[in-house]
Amino acid sequence: MTTSITQAGQQHDSYIVATEADDIVTRVLFDAISEEFQIPIYYKDFSSFDAILDSVAKGTSDFAANVTHTEQRSLVFEYSRPTNIEYTFLFSDTGKDLDEVSIIGVPKDTIYGSLVLSHFPNMEIIEYQGHDAAKALLKNSQVEGVVDAINQLKPMLMAGFNSQLLNNQLTIKPVSIIAKKGKHIADLTRFTDFIYSEGVQRLLRETVNQYQYDLRRNALRERVVTSGIDTTQPLKVKLENIYPYAQFDLPGQPYGISAEVLFEACDILTLKCQVVNESNETWQSMYQDFLNQEIDIIAPLVISQQRRKVANFTSAHYSPQSILVKRIGYKDRVYQNISELISERIGVVKDDFFDELLSLLLPNKSLHYYDSNAELIDALLNEEVDYVAHSLAGLSHVFREQGLLPITPAQSIGNIYQSQIAIGLVKNEKGALLTPLFDKALAMIDTDRINQKYDQLPDWRETLEAEQQLSRRSQGLFVIVLGFMLVTTLLLKKQAYTDSLTKLRNRRSLQSKYRRKVKPWHTVVSLDINHFKQVNDTYGHEVGDLVLQQYANVINTHWRGYSYRVGGDEFVLIGEAKSSDLDTIVEQLSEFMFVSEIHNLYLSITVSVGVSANRKRDKHLSEILSKTDSAMYQSKRDIGRKCTFVDGNGNCDKVYNRSCEKNAQKSA
């Protein structure tokens, strides 16, 4: 045992560190210090943070960690340099964010109350002491959430509450190690120097991440036990053999996006998930077994309103783009909208999502049915059908597996849908119990990692052909051809990310640029031209195209950010817009005069608008668009179809009241 000598000359064979139960950060730091400096460390647990501070102040404990610096505390304690961040959580029944609650509890004698009020000044604060009091506040619905540190994570999760990390929503100050005033000054310095080392910082991050994961997993497993589900009986699973969702290797083991996500979830929940289908079973057969409740789980399953009647869905774990595929040279750039394909032969897999989607998009049209995607491609090659629906990742896989085929995306039509892929659970009492459990397990899985493993950008046919030609060239022409290929690739990429009609960016470009999250200071605007179908039906698609082109010019004139055409008459704008200018911009975008001298037409065109601005934190694009689309479609149902709503709250925001009143007067 090494003796520690303080600046006062006193010898110490050991130290006492004050902590609360389950304070993993304090224990990681001082366990590392103990090993590095060969000093025995003893932990003394206290029931509250205030009791910890009191123990150090009285000298009955030598150190405490995770303490925020204040002027008042600095009169009583010696502080080390900041050692780490304070992991802070919002505990609630439903996993809410701070911007979704109005009354919260905070631990007494901490800075959490003032910290929350600095970001949310209208928040009502109730103080408590100890996690039992915090749990009582939540269980009695006296608060909507409780803010506390990581040492409360275990008791809160085991009590059945949800947690949301707040370090990205609040400006959490760094924390330090403290000692009694005038004590252990030299030790604080050398301890901090050691804590700053790469090894300790990595150990702290990895340990905290694993600790959170283990707690969430164990709490979830406890919920499985108490749910009444018989964990000894395997769940019967059927996986469709289709790339990139699930495929079967030679021993018959499934792999792919949906397969990996499902089995990771089953492992977290300690549920036995047994695949009961053969690799060659048709989707129609599997789906029928699911409808008949002969199996418990089917994957992948595209979320749709129609299917919600017959299935319980987890949250989506993958969102692929879907396109139409045709033979090379077949009616190039004849069609620009899927609704125009009334005379074309279109193939689908029986009872899959594209069957449902295309039946809705092309009502009263007879589709050609097949048992698998492989049969669809063969039917297209054999000219039995003219178009088939396919995912981008799936088409890329077809090219990689089968080489160059005389098929290509119908680029003039573009993307037809962005699916939401989930795990489907049977619509009965058992499925209702399992669905929220699987949903929470999916929230713990790194689905982005799994998606990126299998979802690769399509190998466009032109690029592959050029690469094959390049391989046949002599070495003397290699540099010239390579240069040509680079230019061609850049042009193809630009073409792939540009809407051919309006020259705005397209949906693929939108999803690529905002693959991660949208910054809170970026304004997001959803636009939808009112009565556009009526324009097409009355004046023809040529006039409809001119309307879209003129409106694109209006957007380019008044919007200084990024502009995307994401559907037939739908647009999305993203950029930085000053609050003082936003009202004017929305008014300029909500109405324009269409003029066509050739057709002798002068039409007043109105546009429904949904806006999301001044958010509190980064959010996924899909989450923002869900709210702006909801606001946009609500505006379509309002007076004159011109009233602009903000953030999907269902009421005109005061910023836009003048526009709403003006448009209402126009309609009157």
Side-chain angles (χ1 to χ4, degrees):
M1 181 182 300
T2 301
T3 299
S4 172
I5 306 210
T6 69
Q7 69 280 0
Q10 296 176 324
Q11 295 185 345
H12 286 271
D13 294 331
S14 63
Y15 283 127
I16 297 175
V17 176
T19 183
E20 291 182 271
D22 301 311
D23 186 349
I24 185 66
V25 173
T26 296
R27 292 175 183 268
V28 168
L29 295 180
F30 276 95
D31 282 353
I33 289 170
S34 176
E35 182 178 352
E36 173 70 14
F37 298 106
Q38 294 295 299
I39 303 172
I41 298 292
Y42 298 96
Y43 298 103
K44 188 174 182 180
D45 289 342
F46 292 87
S47 60
S48 69
F49 185 72
D50 191 43
I52 289 175
L53 297 181
D54 186 59
S55 174
V56 176
K58 291 179 178 179
T60 56
S61 297
D62 295 296
F63 299 103
N66 298 323
V67 181
T68 306
H69 181 275
T70 67
E71 292 299 325
Q72 184 177 2
R73 289 175 183 170
S74 65
L75 300 175
V76 181
F77 302 113
E78 297 290 349
Y79 273 86
S80 72
R81 301 192 304 279
T83 55
N84 55 280
I85 61 170
E86 176 71 282
Y87 294 91
T88 304
F89 297 85
L90 177 67
F91 301 103
S92 67
D93 286 324
T94 56
K96 293 179 179 178
D97 287 325
L98 268 178
D99 55 5
E100 298 174 313
V101 299
S102 57
I103 306 175
I104 64 166
V106 300
K108 188 179 179 181
D109 297 323
T110 66
I111 65 167
Y112 287 136
S114 58
L115 183 60
V116 170
L117 289 175
S118 69
H119 290 78
F120 301 91
N122 297 322
M123 189 78 73
E124 183 177 343
I125 304 292
I126 297 178
E127 290 189 327
Y128 64 85
Q129 192 153 340
H131 62 257
D132 288 334
K135 288 188 285 188
L137 287 176
L138 287 170
K139 288 180 178 179
N140 297 330
S141 300
Q142 294 175 260
V143 296
E144 297 172 85
V146 162
V147 174
D148 214 327
I150 192 172
N151 57 298
Q152 299 298 332
L153 190 59
K154 181 177 180 178
M156 285 300 190
L157 290 177
M158 298 307 292
F161 296 112
N162 291 279
S163 65
Q164 187 72 23
L165 188 64
L166 296 182
N167 289 69
N168 291 330
Q169 289 186 263
L170 298 177
T171 309
I172 307 293
K173 293 182 178 180
V175 290
S176 302
I177 297 173
I178 62 167
K180 184 178 180 180
K181 194 70 174 179
K183 298 287 187 179
H184 309 310
I185 297 175
D187 282 336
L188 287 174
T189 299
R190 64 177 184 146
F191 289 171
T192 308
D193 289 342
F194 170 62
I195 289 171
Y196 279 9
S197 66
E198 179 182 348
V200 176
Q201 290 296 309
R202 180 185 292 110
L203 174 66
L204 178 62
R205 176 176 56 80
E206 292 176 350
T207 303
V208 168
N209 288 342
Q210 188 62 45
Y211 176 73
Q212 293 183 65
Y213 179 87
D214 290 343
L215 282 181
R216 295 177 193 275
R217 182 194 59 195
N218 294 339
L220 194 50
R221 288 177 174 177
E222 183 65 26
R223 291 187 61 177
V224 173
V225 172
T226 59
S227 69
I229 296 171
D230 185 356
T231 57
T232 64
Q233 293 297 316
L235 298 175
K236 295 180 180 179
V237 176
K238 289 201 171 184
L239 296 168
E240 184 182 12
N241 186 2
I242 179 173
Y243 187 89
Y245 311 108
Q247 289 189 292
F248 293 81
D249 59 21
L250 290 178
Q253 294 299 312
Y255 62 95
I257 290 175
S258 295
E260 289 197 18
V261 168
L262 173 63
F263 286 110
E264 280 197 31
C266 293
D267 180 66
I268 289 171
L269 298 169
T270 62
L271 293 172
K272 300 176 182 178
C273 294
Q274 179 182 357
V275 178
V276 295
N277 66 289
E278 299 294 333
S279 62
N280 60 351
E281 184 174 358
T282 66
W283 170 257
Q284 186 179 9
S285 170
M286 291 188 289
Y287 192 56
Q288 193 59 52
D289 284 349
F290 181 73
L291 296 180
N292 294 337
Q293 299 188 4
E294 295 176 7
I295 58 175
D296 302 297
I297 297 173
I298 192 169
L301 194 62
V302 179
I303 299 174
S304 71
Q305 288 302 116
Q306 186 69 19
R307 286 180 171 176
R308 287 190 186 278
K309 301 174 184 177
V310 297
N312 291 306
F313 287 97
T314 64
S315 56
H317 59 266
Y318 179 52
S319 300
Q321 295 285 354
S322 301
I323 57 174
L324 285 179
V325 181
K326 67 181 186 67
R327 293 181 299 280
I328 286 182
Y330 182 77
K331 296 186 179 179
D332 288 333
R333 302 195 176 277
V334 172
Y335 305 112
Q336 293 183 336
N337 192 291
I338 194 170
S339 62
E340 300 172 11
L341 303 180
I342 54 175
S343 63
E344 301 298 325
R345 299 170 298 173
I346 301 176
V348 295
V349 173
K350 180 66 175 175
D351 288 334
D352 81 348
F353 175 72
F354 288 127
D355 182 6
E356 178 184 327
L357 176 65
L358 295 177
S359 295
L360 290 173
L361 295 177
L362 296 166
N364 302 320
K365 179 173 178 57
S366 296
L367 302 174
H368 295 252
Y369 293 104
Y370 298 89
D371 288 335
S372 67
N373 275 275
E375 290 186 15
L376 271 184
I377 296 297
D378 288 341
L380 185 62
L381 293 171
N382 296 331
E383 301 188 13
E384 297 174 18
V385 294
D386 306 311
Y387 290 88
V388 300
H390 220 294
S391 70
L392 280 171
L395 181 61
S396 174
H397 180 70
V398 169
F399 284 151
R400 288 197 302 272
E401 292 293 308
Q402 301 186 43
L404 292 176
L405 299 177
I407 59 176
T408 187
Q411 292 186 357
S412 60
I413 295 177
N415 297 332
I416 61 172
Y417 195 79
Q418 183 170 13
S419 305
Q420 298 294 307
I421 303 296
I423 296 170
L425 294 105
V426 68
K427 195 80 169 181
N428 58 18
E429 183 179 353
K430 184 178 182 180
L433 289 173
L434 287 169
T435 301
L437 297 173
F438 270 94
D439 216 29
K440 289 184 178 297
L442 259 63
M444 296 175 58
I445 296 172
D446 186 357
T447 54
D448 286 343
R449 171 186 58 80
I450 297 174
N451 292 342
Q452 292 169 8
K453 179 178 177 181
Y454 294 98
D455 185 0
Q456 302 175 12
L457 290 177
D459 297 320
W460 296 112
R461 176 180 184 78
E462 292 85 351
T463 304
L464 289 173
E465 287 179 334
E467 288 176 350
Q468 284 192 350
Q469 292 173 3
L470 180 63
S471 68
R472 293 192 293 266
R473 299 287 186 182
S474 65
Q475 191 166 356
L477 295 175
F478 179 81
V479 175
I480 298 174
V481 176
L482 180 60
F484 172 77
M485 279 298 303
L486 290 173
V487 174
T488 302
T489 300
L490 290 174
L491 291 175
L492 288 172
K493 182 177 179 180
K494 182 178 180 181
Q495 182 181 15
Y497 283 78
T498 303
D499 176 55
S500 59
L501 179 65
T502 64
K503 306 308 178 186
L504 300 178
R505 294 173 174 83
N506 61 15
R507 183 185 290 275
R508 185 184 299 113
S509 176
L510 175 66
Q511 296 296 334
S512 175
K513 183 171 181 60
Y514 297 98
R515 183 183 296 270
R516 296 185 181 276
K517 290 186 178 181
V518 180
K519 296 299 180 183
W521 57 83
H522 282 160
T523 297
V524 180
V525 183
S526 290
L527 305 164
D528 189 288
I529 298 177
N530 296 322
H531 306 300
F532 184 70
K533 184 178 185 301
Q534 185 177 335
V535 172
N536 276 332
D537 293 343
T538 304
Y539 304 107
H541 289 286
E542 181 181 358
V543 170
D545 290 348
L546 291 175
V547 169
L548 294 173
Q549 289 172 336
Q550 287 195 19
Y551 189 55
N553 292 335
V554 172
I555 291 173
N556 288 331
T557 299
H558 299 294
W559 184 254
R560 291 294 174 263
Y562 291 96
S563 309
Y564 305 87
R565 181 188 176 203
V566 297
D569 59 341
E570 298 177 9
F571 302 79
V572 170
L573 315 180
I574 300 180
E576 298 183 39
K578 296 180 180 177
S579 299
S580 57
D581 298 335
L582 192 53
D583 188 28
T584 302
I585 293 172
V586 169
E587 188 168 349
Q588 291 167 334
L589 295 175
S590 64
E591 187 172 5
F592 72 101
M593 180 62 67
F594 169 75
V595 178
S596 176
E597 300 289 350
I598 298 176
H599 299 89
N600 195 27
L601 280 177
Y602 302 85
L603 303 176
S604 178
I605 305 294
T606 63
V607 181
S608 293
V609 187
V611 181
S612 174
N614 299 322
R615 295 172 300 282
K616 298 292 190 302
R617 59 186 178 88
D618 293 1
K619 289 191 175 183
H620 288 289
L621 177 64
S622 59
E623 182 181 357
I624 298 172
L625 292 182
S626 174
K627 292 186 178 181
T628 58
D629 286 350
S630 175
M632 183 178 66
Y633 290 127
Q634 177 65 28
S635 71
K636 279 184 173 291
R637 295 190 289 271
D638 205 76
I639 300 172
R641 297 188 175 222
K642 302 176 187 176
C643 184
T644 300
F645 289 73
V646 180
D647 285 336
N649 292 325
N651 295 299
C652 281
D653 187 271
K654 62 183 180 181
V655 177
Y656 298 100
N657 276 343
R658 294 196 303 279
S659 298
C660 294
E661 292 168 0
K662 179 179 178 181
N663 286 332
Q665 292 168 3
K666 288 181 181 179
S667 299

